[in-house]
Amino acid sequence: MRKERLIVPVVVGLALVWGVAQYTASWLFERELMRTLRDLEARGELVVERTALERGWLSSSGRIVIAPLLGNDWQLALTYNARHGVLSTRLEGDIQPALGPARELLFGDALPSSAPRWHARYQTLGGSLEGSIGLAPFLIRQGERELDFQGGQVSFGGEYGDWWLRARLKPWRLTDGVASLEAGPTSLESRYAYTAGAYHFTQHDLLHLESLSWRQPDLELDGSELVYRSRMQLDDSELRLEGELDLGQLMVADQVLLTGRVEAQLSRLHAGALRRLFSRLRDEVLHGRHQTPRELLRKLDAEFKAVLQDSPRLDITEVDLDSPMLGVSAQGEGALILDPRHLDELSFPRLDEAAEQARWRRRLDGDFIWREVPTVVSLWLGLPLGTDDLVVDVIRGKVRVNGRPLPPLWR
C-alpha cells in the first residue's frame, strides 16, 4: 500500500517536470528567434517583420518577411511550423521570394516550380540550429530564351552570434537565340559573427565558380576556377571591406586570354557615423515619410558626409594579371585617399552635376605603380620605349603618369 501511495505523487511530479521542461523549451526557442531577428535587422540594411504568429507549448508557427530598407526590388517570406520537444525543436516551412513593387512571386508566378521547402532542428540546451533547403530543377522558356536550372542544396546553421551558410548549385544554362551562357557547378560559403545588436560584426564569403562558358557565332569564351573572397568587418572605429578575385583561366580559341588575381580593401569608414546614418535612415523610411532618393540624400547629407570624416582609403593591395594571348601583363599596387577637410563644401544630393563631381574629384589623392609595363602601353601613353615601371599619381583629382599629365586615351 505504501508503494501504491507513492505512484500518484511520482506521476504528478514527472508530469510537472515534463510540463515545465516543455514550456522552457518553447520559451527558449521563441527568445532565440526574436533575438536573432532583432540582430539581423540591427545591421541596418534590412526590415524584418513577423506575421501570422501562433505560439504554443507543443507547437508554434508564423511567417517572417525580410525586405530591403531602401527600395522595393525584392521581398523574402519564410513560413515556419515548429514542433517543440524537451531537448530539441523541429522546424519546417517554405521560402517564397517576391520581385518588384507588384510583389510577383518568383515560384509560381515567374517560375513553373513550387516554393522551396526548408527543414531544421534547434537544440534547446546548446542553442544551436542546423537545417537545409532543397532547390528543385526547373526549365523556363520565353520565345527564343530558355533558362535551364539543374537544382541545388543549401545548408545553414550556427548559434546566436555565429551563423554559417553553404550553398551548392548544379550547372545552369541560359540560351538566347544563337547565344548561350552556361555556369557551374557553383559553391558559396558564408560565415557571419556578431555581438548583441550587431554593434560589431565580421562576415566572410567565398564564391567558387568551377566553369563558365559563353557561346555566340563569333566568340567562344571559357573560364574555369573563378573564385571571389570577401571580408566585411565593423568594429569600434571603422567599417572595413576586403575583396579578392582569382580569375583562374579565361580561354578564347584554346588560348589563355586572361589569368591572375586582384586584391583590394576599402577602409576608414567611420563606424559611429555609419551606425547613426542607418538609425536616421531607418527612422525616415519606417515612419511613413514617402521621399524620393534625392530628398533622402538632402535630409541625410550631413550623416552621409560624417561617414567620410576619417579619410576613407581604397587600397589596391595586389594586381597580378597576365594575358599570354595578347602578350600583356600587369603587376602592381596602389592607394587612393579622400581628403575629409571641410566636408561641408561637398554635397551628396548634387553628385549628378558635373561641377559637384569635379569638387569631389579634387578631394582625391593617391598613387599606383605598374611594374614592367608592356611596350605597347608605353607607346599608347606616349612614354619612352624603355620605360620599366608606370607610376600613376593622383594629385587633387588630376592624373599624372610618370610625372606627365595623362594624355587623352581616345584619339
Side-chain angles (χ1 to χ4, degrees), residues 196-210:
Y199 190 81
H200 297 158
F201 67 79
T202 302
Q203 181 170 333
H204 295 266
D205 296 294
L206 171 61
L207 178 64
H208 179 205
L209 184 61
E210 291 188 20

Side-chain angles (χ1 to χ4, degrees), residues 70-86:
L70 293 176
N72 51 11
D73 295 333
W74 61 271
Q75 176 181 281
L76 185 65
L78 299 90
T79 63
Y80 70 89
N81 290 286
R83 296 189 298 275
H84 305 296
V86 173

Side-chain angles (χ1 to χ4, degrees), residues 103-115:
R103 296 288 186 256
E104 180 185 22
L105 298 180
L106 179 62
F107 298 97
D109 291 342
L111 301 179
S113 177
S114 58

Side-chain angles (χ1 to χ4, degrees), residues 356-375:
E356 185 63 27
Q357 293 170 14
R359 278 191 284 271
W360 281 84
R361 282 196 299 270
R362 287 195 291 269
R363 298 302 188 99
L364 297 177
D365 294 281
D367 58 74
F368 182 84
I369 183 169
W370 184 347
R371 298 189 182 87
E372 299 179 7
V373 60
T375 303

Side-chain angles (χ1 to χ4, degrees), residues 2-184:
R2 191 171 296 172
K3 292 183 178 181
E4 293 176 356
R5 290 174 186 171
L6 291 175
I7 292 176
V8 174
V10 168
V11 171
V12 172
L14 291 175
L16 182 61
V17 170
W18 178 86
V20 171
Q22 184 70 38
Y23 172 78
T24 302
S26 62
W27 177 81
L28 287 173
F29 167 78
E30 180 64 25
R31 187 194 68 172
E32 293 304 307
L33 178 60
M34 287 296 297
R35 285 208 305 173
T36 300
L37 295 180
R38 279 198 303 267
D39 288 337
L40 178 63
E41 194 173 46
R43 277 192 53 164
E45 67 266 37
L46 298 174
V47 177
V48 181
E49 180 184 5
R50 294 178 72 190
T51 60
L53 182 61
E54 294 185 9
R55 297 191 182 100
W57 283 22
L58 300 178
S59 65
S60 59
S61 62
R63 185 171 182 264
I64 300 169
V65 180
I66 303 173
L69 179 63
L70 293 176
N72 51 11
D73 295 333
W74 61 271
Q75 176 181 281
L76 185 65
L78 299 90
T79 63
Y80 70 89
N81 290 286
R83 296 189 298 275
H84 305 296
V86 173
L87 299 179
S88 66
T89 294
R90 293 186 177 185
L91 300 103
E92 62 179 9
D94 58 38
I95 299 176
Q96 184 58 271
L99 306 175
R103 296 288 186 256
E104 180 185 22
L105 298 180
L106 179 62
F107 298 97
D109 291 342
L111 301 179
S113 177
S114 58
R117 299 285 299 175
W118 67 278
H119 306 267
R121 180 185 290 269
Y122 171 73
Q123 301 294 336
T124 304
L125 298 180
S128 63
L129 176 78
E130 189 165 341
S132 64
I133 305 168
L135 303 176
F138 60 79
L139 179 65
I140 304 174
R141 290 191 178 94
Q142 187 179 44
E144 293 187 346
R145 296 179 181 175
E146 180 180 281
L147 175 61
D148 185 3
F149 178 69
Q150 296 299 314
Q153 187 77 16
V154 179
S155 57
F156 57 90
E159 57 191 15
Y160 180 78
D162 189 1
W163 298 98
W164 56 265
L165 179 144
R166 301 187 186 99
R168 299 289 185 271
L169 305 181
K170 295 179 180 179
W172 56 268
R173 180 183 178 88
L174 175 64
T175 305
D176 187 358
V178 295
S180 67
L181 174 65
E182 186 170 356

